[in-house]
Amino acid sequence: MIAAAAGYAYELFLARPRMAYLGVPRATDWKRPQTWTHVLRNHGFMLGYSELRGNPLWVIFTLRPVSHGGETHPRPRHFRTDWRNLTRVSPDDYTRSGYDRGHMAPNHAMDLLFGRPGQLDSFLMTNVVPQKPELNRKLWERLEEAELDHVTRLFDPIWVVTGPLFDARTERLKSAFRVEIPDAFFRIYAAPTASGAPRLLAFIVPQDAPANAPLDRFLASVDTVEALSGLDFFHELEDAAEADLEAEIASQPWGLQELARLPGRPSSSRHRRPPPPPDHE
């Protein structure tokens, strides 16, 4: 009993805060079961998983500048069921669903920054959401490449909080009713500063986003992400500062004019990956 209490206290007050920035994301209204999560820590990233929706509602990790010429590991050929997932969502649940198994903590960055353990954890199904292939393989990949290749040159480190967004109409995979299909996805960047007030930048990207659209088309305030997700981010900020920072869209410090229209990296410089099967992730 004492050991269990000590373990829970360590998890709640030490382990989780170290892997979050300005507070572990939390529901704004605990009376909404759709926002209930249980927190799972992995190598290099942490997430809040919804058993009701079969999706991680938020995933958080840090990025730093890396050399893409460094050693990387072969991309795993298979995703894995997470034994901590009560509903046991499996890779087969997405087979012939028409949706990719979309990483939230990206495989390539987890490999470069946290090695093979981080890469393997990124292939757990608790890190996966249903994404349309056109989005997963094009615009969303461009956003992941831009944050690692360019944003980390401006700020070191940056914190990334990302996850799915759902509208009022519930739609689930035909191949697996326990997995809900998101309508859009958010990505929030937070860059700590010496003053204590971070720089924030947020995107909301719909499932049907055009592949070649400039990234700045999808800019949003953190307030908007919070309203749509039912989650509260960076709640350890002083209230007045949080209100100001989360209401504005301050893109200038992020070099977004250049960033918004960057093409994806040439295939030769991307992390090697096997040819996609028909039910590509």
Side-chain angles (χ1 to χ4, degrees):
M1 186 76 167
I2 295 175
Y8 181 71
Y10 168 77
E11 182 74 17
L12 196 62
F13 298 111
L14 291 175
R16 293 179 186 178
R18 289 173 181 168
M19 297 188 71
Y21 179 61
L22 293 173
V24 176
R26 63 187 184 186
T28 54
D29 181 1
W30 285 102
K31 297 187 293 295
R32 293 179 58 199
Q34 298 93 333
T35 61
W36 294 352
T37 62
H38 61 104
V39 178
L40 304 175
R41 289 190 298 112
N42 298 294
H43 291 89
F45 65 99
M46 183 169 64
L47 60 90
Y49 193 79
S50 168
E51 300 289 350
L52 182 64
R53 288 186 140 150
N55 283 251
L57 297 192
W58 57 265
V59 178
I60 187 167
F61 54 91
T62 54
L63 292 178
R64 309 194 81 116
V66 293
S67 168
H68 294 289
E71 181 180 353
T72 57
H73 300 88
R75 179 185 173 92
R77 295 197 65 87
H78 303 287
F79 287 81
R80 295 178 292 132
T81 298
D82 192 333
W83 65 269
R84 302 166 297 179
N85 173 208
L86 301 178
T87 53
R88 307 294 289 174
V89 172
S90 78
D92 292 340
D93 288 332
Y94 282 64
T95 301
R96 291 183 291 278
S97 68
Y99 287 85
D100 282 3
R101 305 176 188 93
H103 289 80
M104 288 289 92
N107 153 60
H108 186 47
M110 295 303 102
D111 184 19
L112 284 169
L113 290 165
F114 305 104
R116 188 63 166 176
Q119 181 190 44
L120 292 176
D121 280 357
S122 77
F123 275 80
L124 291 170
M125 291 300 295
T126 46
N127 182 47
V128 165
V129 296
Q131 280 187 323
K132 289 187 176 181
E134 185 76 0
L135 173 63
N136 181 42
R137 305 176 202 182
K138 294 183 179 178
L139 191 141
W140 194 256
E141 186 174 78
R142 281 172 51 211
L143 185 58
E144 291 177 339
E145 291 171 353
E147 69 192 19
L148 188 62
D149 291 351
H150 297 276
V151 177
T152 57
R153 296 179 187 173
L154 300 173
F155 305 109
D156 178 18
I158 61 166
W159 287 84
V160 183
V161 190
T162 188
L165 295 170
F166 305 87
D167 64 19
R169 183 175 60 90
T170 299
E171 183 182 2
R172 296 181 179 271
L173 292 182
K174 294 178 180 179
S175 53
F177 187 75
R178 56 194 165 183
V179 180
E180 188 172 350
I181 300 170
D183 298 281
F185 304 89
F186 70 88
R187 205 127 176 132
I188 303 171
Y189 303 120
T193 66
S195 68
R199 292 186 173 95
L200 301 177
L201 187 71
F203 296 88
I204 294 176
V205 182
Q207 283 274 24
D208 294 319
N212 296 317
L215 297 176
D216 54 4
R217 179 183 300 183
F218 307 104
L219 281 171
S221 68
V222 175
D223 273 350
T224 301
V225 176
E226 291 184 332
L228 293 173
S229 66
L231 300 173
D232 185 14
F233 307 106
F234 317 121
H235 50 81
E236 290 182 359
L237 275 170
E238 190 272 328
D239 288 347
E242 181 180 5
D244 290 343
L245 288 168
E246 294 186 354
E248 67 178 356
I249 301 176
S251 60
Q252 193 277 332
W254 299 84
L256 205 61
Q257 284 190 331
E258 174 192 3
L259 191 68
R261 289 162 178 79
L262 286 171
R265 287 196 301 271
S267 58
S268 60
S269 65
R270 291 180 189 157
H271 198 36
R272 296 180 184 273
R273 60 193 299 170
D279 61 317
H280 171 68
E281 66 275 1

